[in-house]
Amino acid sequence: MSDKGKYKIKQLSIFSENRPNRLGAVAKVLKDGKINILGFSIAEGAGYGVIRVLVDKPETARDLLTKEGFVVKFTEVLAIQMEDRPGGLFDLTDQMKDINIEYGYGYRNPPFAVLIVRVEDIDSGIDKLLAGGLKLLDNVNFH
């Protein structure tokens, strides 16, 4: 794995019809497979949803979900540590002005917060974030 590879996190993108209890169905598959959900977000469009999930065993999760009929693909994302205080997100994004963020979501992990982002060019994004002094979390934090 290249040095940059340690910052690339495998996120599951699960495509699902926009109907009741689809999140519950995904959660049950992961529960039955003893897979821990570390973070997730849900997006919707044109009658379908995308459930983006970070888990401790991404390959196993993909296999189990696919077996249950879900369409799943891997997406590489980055996890950026930010201060858990008012203005923490602004200070972080102020240092990311020339990076195109396709989407993102965050969560608290005291004593800090984490911003998960998909960027247009992941290798360039890693270089720019590190050069700007930002702390990227290693992918081992997500297994």
Side-chain angles (χ1 to χ4, degrees), residues 18-19 32 37 39 44 52 56 59 63-65 68 77 80 86 96 99 101 110 117-118 126 134-135 138:
N18 200 358
R19 58 187 172 98
D32 291 348
I37 299 171
E44 178 272 328
R52 295 182 174 112
D56 61 344
E59 288 83 7
D63 294 346
L64 292 172
L65 288 162
E68 292 299 319
V77 295
I80 310 165
M96 299 173 62
I99 297 173
I101 299 172
V117 294
R118 168 134 171 105
I126 291 168
L134 297 175
K135 173 147 174 61
D138 290 1

Side-chain angles (χ1 to χ4, degrees), residues 4-5 34 48:
K4 290 180 191 174
K34 298 186 179 356
Y48 278 83

Side-chain angles (χ1 to χ4, degrees), residues 44-63:
E44 178 272 328
Y48 278 83
V50 179
I51 304 167
R52 295 182 174 112
V53 186
L54 300 176
V55 296
D56 61 344
K57 297 179 263 185
E59 288 83 7
T60 303
R62 180 204 50 211
D63 294 346

Side-chain angles (χ1 to χ4, degrees), residues 9-132:
I9 298 161
K10 284 185 179 180
Q11 171 192 263
L12 297 169
S13 294
I14 306 159
F15 301 90
S16 178
E17 289 180 274
N18 200 358
R19 58 187 172 98
N21 204 34
R22 297 313 294 156
L23 179 60
V26 168
K28 177 151 180 26
V29 171
L30 298 178
K31 175 187 174 191
D32 291 348
K34 298 186 179 356
I35 294 169
N36 192 22
I37 299 171
L38 306 171
F40 75 96
S41 76
I42 302 170
E44 178 272 328
Y48 278 83
V50 179
I51 304 167
R52 295 182 174 112
V53 186
L54 300 176
V55 296
D56 61 344
K57 297 179 263 185
E59 288 83 7
T60 303
R62 180 204 50 211
D63 294 346
L64 292 172
L65 288 162
T66 301
K67 183 179 174 188
E68 292 299 319
F70 289 96
V71 176
V72 181
K73 77 171 209 173
F74 283 128
T75 307
E76 290 182 329
V77 295
L78 301 173
I80 310 165
Q81 183 175 312
M82 65 180 171
E83 292 188 43
D84 185 14
R85 60 165 177 75
L89 179 60
F90 171 77
D91 291 344
L92 176 66
T93 57
D94 195 46
Q95 297 178 50
M96 299 173 62
K97 291 177 185 170
D98 58 344
I99 297 173
N100 186 24
I101 299 172
E102 294 179 358
Y103 61 81
Y105 52 97
Y107 65 90
R108 289 186 74 210
N109 186 25
F112 54 86
V114 177
L115 178 64
I116 303 294
V117 294
R118 168 134 171 105
V119 298
E120 185 175 53
D121 180 339
I122 197 163
D123 288 325
S124 174
I126 291 168
D127 289 340
K128 290 175 181 178
L129 293 167
L130 293 174

